[in-house]
């Protein structure tokens, strides 16, 4: 009976907010020990030094960026989203994002973040639960539902 289309629902604001907190915690657990291996806790590093220090930039910015994009490409989700069985997918096909969509979505977080996080709060009010970063990248966050009598039906 299935024609390859599976029922799904859009994942809303609160699940995504909690997933983001979990992902932030995971990133801290991974990056903090790396930073402690590089820096002496008794010798504080200034903000100006951080901005130009290669190790700090790699551990705090490049490593998390690459990790998140690779997780999206391989699993369609970060650890926080995995706990909610949520997937970040192409908005039209509901298949995996392309590498360019993944990179664009990551850097589009800036558009959602800069104006007082409005682009993230937008998720709560949007019909398809898209943040501005999702709209820019052409993605949605969905949870696939168990097979039912009406494949392809979307719920919100």
């Amino acid at each position: 009976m299935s024609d390859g289309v599976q029922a799904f629902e859009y994942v809303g604001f609160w699940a995504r907010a909690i997933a983001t907190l979990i992902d932030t915690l995971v990133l801290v657990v991974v990056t903090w020990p790396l930073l402690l291996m590089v820096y002496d806790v008794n010798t504080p590093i200034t903000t100006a030094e951080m901005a130009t220090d290669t190790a700090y930039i790699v551990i705090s910015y490049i490593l998390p960026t690459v990790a998140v994009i690779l997780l999206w490409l391989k699993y369609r989700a970060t650890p926080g989203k995995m706990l909610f069985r949520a997937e970040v997918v192409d908005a039209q096909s509901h298949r995996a994002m392309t590498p360019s969509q993944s990179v664009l979505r990551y850097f589009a977080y800036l558009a959602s973040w800069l104006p007082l996080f409005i682009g993230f709060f937008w998720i709560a009010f949007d019909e398809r639960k898209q943040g501005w970063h999702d709209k820019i990248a052409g993605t949605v966050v969905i949870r696939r539902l168990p097979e039912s009598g009406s494949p392809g039906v979307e719920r919100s």
Side-chain angles (χ1 to χ4, degrees):
M1 181 166 164
S2 177
D3 59 0
V5 178
Q6 187 175 9
F8 66 93
E9 62 186 354
Y10 296 110
V11 179
F13 175 80
W14 287 111
R16 291 176 65 176
I18 293 167
T20 298
L21 290 174
I22 292 166
D23 292 338
T24 301
L25 180 61
V26 169
L27 284 173
V28 168
V29 167
V30 171
T31 59
W32 192 253
L34 295 173
L35 288 169
L36 290 176
M37 289 184 338
V38 174
Y39 299 103
D40 179 3
V41 291
N42 297 319
T43 310
I45 183 171
T46 67
T47 304
E49 290 170 325
M50 285 182 209
T52 59
D53 186 76
T54 303
Y56 183 84
I57 292 168
V58 168
I59 294 168
S60 298
Y61 297 104
I62 296 173
L63 177 66
T65 300
V66 170
V68 167
I69 291 170
L70 289 176
L71 285 166
W72 284 341
L73 291 173
K74 183 165 175 77
Y75 300 105
R76 299 181 185 177
T78 53
K81 282 189 179 55
M82 288 177 196
L83 289 174
F84 288 94
R85 295 183 1 249
E87 299 176 43
V88 185
V89 296
D90 177 79
Q92 301 306 314
S93 70
H94 301 127
R95 293 192 174 133
M97 291 184 281
T98 64
S100 59
Q101 277 180 303
S102 297
V103 171
L104 180 59
R105 185 176 194 271
Y106 189 87
F107 289 102
Y109 276 143
L110 194 59
S112 289
W113 175 74
L114 272 179
L116 303 172
F117 301 95
I118 294 171
F120 292 113
F121 291 120
W122 194 265
I123 295 165
F125 305 102
D126 188 78
E127 182 179 311
R128 296 194 319 165
K129 310 297 184 204
Q130 288 177 294
W132 290 355
H133 52 287
D134 291 308
K135 291 183 179 297
I136 291 168
T139 60
V140 289
V141 179
I142 63 170
R143 179 181 303 112
R144 298 189 191 275
L145 301 173
E147 290 291 328
S148 65
S150 52
V153 175
E154 63 182 62
R155 294 187 354 199
S156 52

